[in-house]
Amino acid sequence: MRVAGEHHRTVRLAGNVVRVIDQRLLPWRFEFLDLASVDAAAHAIREMAVRGAGCIGATAGFAMTLAAREADSWRELEKLAGLLKATRPTAVNLAWAVDRQIEAIREAGFDRRVETAVMTAQAIADEDAAACEAIGRHGLDIIRAIAARNPGRPVNILTHCNAGWLAFVDTGSATAPVYAAHAAGIPVHVWVDETRPRNQGARLTAWELAQEGVPHTVIVDNTGGHLMQHALVDMVITGADRVSRAGDVANKIGTYLKALAARDNGVPFYVALPSSTLDWSLRDGVAETPIERRGEGEVTHLEGVTAGGRVESVRVVPEGSPAANYAFDVTPARLVTGLITERGVCAAEEGAIRALHGKTA
Ligand code: MRU
């Protein structure tokens, strides 16, 4: 997507380093971060310099090129792969990308590990970008239908967290239909949940939408239900970090509450995801999804910029009060209107998901 009119991807190879956008600095500064070792890549993922399911998957894919250079035995390569996989547990794209690299290298042979890893990493990134584009096309049909029922006013879409291009290689999942509708001249307006504790909505989604000139309004996380009660939301679109084969959706903490409010108010609740976010091994997402718990500091403190332009972190919780930081929750499939994937839209239901992916039994 474009930043100040110039096209960027969130992650790519630059010579022998992996170049990412440092998302910890947004929206105050747009800067790149070069990752020259597996350790540096693991640190960047853990500390969320790179974040979002597709983006950490692609970054881990590229980091495997560093692993291939660093490792002089299979044992070492597998150890480095394990290090990357252990960085963040919930988004399945990360483990998926690392496993795909291991499989490709196993097939090509250890001696061909570097060129194989480079080719595979590039394929993962290109496929991610293409999938998001296709999600945009399929989601556009849904937005177009809503617009046709409400001529003369914008389609109001609520989203949670950042499932935009920053969370992928390009375009994004939840934002892809929005960008497609905007480009097609359909008036849209996005309600952006701020998404405590790290404020990915307020900091990243709002910044992205502004770069693309998409009308939007940032709201605090608890506003969505009120807006839905007053017919100010036509649809919800969120992303996903892991979707079970039955269609249960793990996504940023707070998503479940939006889905409940949407159901109570008859608002369609869509989830956009590339197929790399499906975890076929999971049936019951609520019971089986590994939920990341992060440090208390993300809850007890808030980061922002002062009037003088200095980025500062302030404490918002009394000293001594403990805080809990569950990073994700799971929305049961029964609350999901549909899954928007690169293959098309389907019900959040095992048979429909299997059929869309050409899987029988
Ligand atoms: O913790 P993050 O920022 O890596 O969380 C992931 C997310 O941004 C959201 O849950 C998003 O909706 C899914 S990622 C496409």
Side-chain angles (χ1 to χ4, degrees):
M1 299 297 283
R2 287 168 301 163
V3 180
E6 199 183 326
H7 180 263
H8 293 277
R9 281 185 165 194
T10 53
V11 52
R12 65 188 172 89
L13 269 187
N16 284 353
V17 303
V18 179
R19 182 160 296 163
V20 298
I21 296 167
D22 191 340
Q23 300 192 25
R24 293 169 302 186
L25 307 180
L26 288 169
W28 336 118
R29 288 189 347 247
F30 181 75
E31 282 179 21
F32 297 99
L33 175 67
D34 283 349
L35 310 171
S37 66
V38 173
D39 266 346
H43 185 260
I45 295 171
R46 208 179 298 113
E47 295 304 312
M48 295 175 66
V50 280
R51 48 144 298 282
C55 183
I56 59 178
T59 303
F62 281 119
M64 283 299 290
T65 67
L66 307 174
R69 288 198 174 90
E70 286 173 33
D72 49 19
S73 67
W74 256 115
R75 218 181 121 102
E76 183 61 14
L77 187 68
E78 278 173 346
K79 196 176 120 206
L80 294 170
L83 182 79
L84 287 168
K85 280 168 76 168
T87 50
R88 296 198 68 195
T90 303
V92 74
N93 305 59
L94 194 155
W96 170 86
V98 173
D99 289 344
R100 179 164 160 184
Q101 281 281 21
I102 290 288
E103 209 174 295
I105 296 169
R106 192 163 283 135
E107 230 167 72
F110 190 71
D111 290 348
R112 300 194 53 224
R113 64 192 178 282
V114 175
E115 63 266 39
T116 304
V118 169
M119 241 171 51
T120 309
Q122 199 53 53
I124 290 170
D126 291 345
E127 286 166 24
D128 181 274
C132 286
E133 279 234 30
I135 287 169
R137 287 194 296 277
H138 297 302
L140 171 61
D141 295 340
I142 301 170
I143 296 179
R144 205 191 290 284
I146 294 173
R149 291 198 294 275
N150 303 287
R153 69 164 183 81
V155 178
N156 283 298
I157 301 165
L158 184 139
T159 194
H160 191 67
C161 198
N162 173 263
W165 72 273
L166 289 166
F168 287 88
V169 173
D170 209 347
T171 310
S173 58
T175 52
V178 173
Y179 292 136
H182 183 65
I186 299 171
V188 287
H189 165 262
V190 182
W191 295 111
V192 179
D193 281 354
E194 62 174 349
T195 321
R196 274 284 278 154
R198 289 187 69 103
N199 286 338
Q200 289 96 327
R203 292 180 61 156
L204 305 177
T205 305
W207 178 79
E208 267 193 31
L209 293 170
Q211 296 295 319
E212 293 297 316
V214 177
H216 61 280
T217 307
V218 179
I219 50 177
V220 298
D221 288 326
N222 297 323
T223 308
H226 168 76
L227 296 176
M228 291 181 210
Q229 285 175 323
H230 292 273
L232 292 168
V233 181
D234 295 303
M235 70 187 300
V236 178
I237 314 181
T238 74
D241 292 86
R242 188 185 291 245
V243 174
S244 78
R245 66 175 189 270
D248 302 323
V249 174
N251 195 51
K252 184 53 60 189
I253 192 78
T255 304
Y256 171 47
L257 295 179
K258 296 299 168 302
L260 285 172
R263 173 54 56 93
D264 195 42
N265 290 282
V267 173
F269 184 95
Y270 285 95
V271 175
L273 66 143
S275 298
S276 52
T277 302
L278 278 167
D279 184 346
W280 296 98
S281 74
L282 285 197
R283 178 147 212 307
D284 180 344
V286 176
E288 299 168 45
T289 305
I291 299 294
E292 178 180 13
R293 290 188 67 173
R294 297 184 59 85
E296 288 189 27
E298 294 180 353
V299 178
T300 57
H301 288 68
L302 262 179
E303 192 180 72
V305 71
T306 65
R310 213 176 39 249
V311 177
E312 279 189 5
S313 167
V314 294
R315 172 175 269 278
V316 290
V317 171
E319 289 279 0
S321 287
N325 188 3
Y326 294 86
F328 300 93
D329 62 24
V330 178
T331 299
R334 65 184 143 75
L335 298 176
V336 177
T337 307
L339 302 174
I340 310 172
T341 78
E342 74 274 24
R343 290 166 176 257
V345 180
C346 74
E349 187 267 313
E350 185 164 350
I353 297 171
R354 279 190 183 283
L356 194 68
H357 290 82
K359 285 186 188 275
T360 42

